[in-house]
Amino acid sequence: MTRPAAGSNGARRTRCHRCSLPVLRQLVGRRAALDVVADAEQMTATAAAALCEPNRLDWCVRAVGGGLDLRWPSSPHPADCPHPHVIDHVCTAPVAHPRNPAARKPRKAPPVPAGQLTL
């Protein structure tokens, strides 16, 4: 079972920076913590298990101290778990293309003669 590290406030509600969907974000684990970004939509354990893939995990959501805490569902995790579950976020926004450096405007020449420093 995964517990929040000392000083952790659990999952933070935020938005994906690319697609703007609501997500939960938390460092899960004490030593080698995973930076988890999961969809904020809560579902049953069986629905979350059906959406799992090798690189898309489900997380058990527990209410602790007035907030939410994402926990790794251990291997004997019951299929009828009473807690809500969430699944890792997969962003559907198009990949942003890098900016064209040739399209940038050239820098203006400094207003002082060459070799003189400006303050």
Side-chain angles (χ1 to χ4, degrees), residues 59-109:
W59 302 93
C60 189
V61 180
R62 306 286 177 100
V64 286
L68 298 177
D69 185 38
L70 301 179
R71 297 185 182 182
W72 184 283
S74 55
S75 53
H77 200 73
D80 59 344
C81 175
H83 303 286
H85 284 237
V86 293
I87 190 99
D88 279 341
H89 177 66
V90 174
C91 192
T92 57
V95 176
H97 296 289
R99 295 180 183 170
N100 185 357
R104 289 194 306 180
K105 294 180 182 177
R107 290 186 177 200
K108 291 190 328 183

